Amino acid sequence: MQRTASAKWQGDLKAGAGAISMASGTLTNTPYSFHSRFEHGQGTNPEELLAAAHAGCFTMALSSQLAKAGLIADSLETTCTITLEQVEGAFAITESHLDLTAKVPGATNEAFEQATHAAKSGCPVSKLFDTKITLNAKLVG
């Protein structure tokens, strides 16, 4: 299985602008720029897209891990925060942090913790990242 996305860019780094598209059509010529990446301008940016990918991948992986334990979630809500900062004079992604709130009827804390840790280390996006990955997971009634 392969998935495809593309990016176009015109101009220099600070004054230039680009667009990102996905073969699925979910994003089509979605703008991105220096301002949307390093400031708070309109448009998306690579780190935001990585955060969406990690949140989605982890949440699906957790659903699979819970099913292996005979559990089905009423809800799994994950927010991912990607940290981009300068390290030794160059930008680097230094962390992907996952915040999860889950409602899983019948789950013990032990089963929930095992499933979340397996999902965190086992999801394909986690395996792709060469950075620190942290997780706060909360099981709610």
Side-chain angles (χ1 to χ4, degrees):
M1 173 178 8
Q2 294 181 325
R3 300 289 185 234
T4 304
S6 62
K8 298 177 185 176
W9 190 266
Q10 293 178 313
D12 67 7
L13 176 62
K14 286 195 175 185
I20 294 173
S21 297
M22 296 179 176
S24 68
T26 302
L27 297 179
T28 303
N29 292 319
T30 302
Y32 78 112
S33 66
F34 179 89
H35 301 291
S36 68
R37 188 171 192 187
F38 297 106
E39 298 168 355
H40 293 287
Q42 289 192 335
T44 191
N45 59 71
E47 290 72 31
E48 178 180 60
L49 296 170
L50 291 170
H54 202 192
C57 184
F58 166 78
T59 305
M60 288 181 77
L62 178 55
S63 178
S64 175
Q65 291 296 324
L66 290 169
K68 289 177 184 177
L71 299 166
I72 298 174
D74 280 350
S75 67
L76 302 173
E77 296 181 23
T78 307
T79 300
C80 179
T81 303
I82 295 288
T83 301
L84 176 71
E85 56 190 353
Q86 284 200 337
V87 177
E88 299 176 6
F91 280 99
I93 293 172
T94 57
E95 183 175 355
S96 181
H97 177 73
L98 300 162
D99 276 305
L100 166 69
T101 300
K103 187 173 184 181
V104 186
T108 64
N109 285 331
E110 181 182 349
F112 179 69
E113 187 174 312
Q114 286 177 349
T116 59
H117 288 288
K120 184 184 103 174
S121 63
C123 101
V125 173
S126 289
K127 292 177 182 180
L128 174 68
F129 288 154
D130 183 19
T131 193
K132 176 179 166 184
I133 299 172
T134 58
L135 168 67
N136 285 339
K138 179 170 58 173
L139 182 61
V140 296

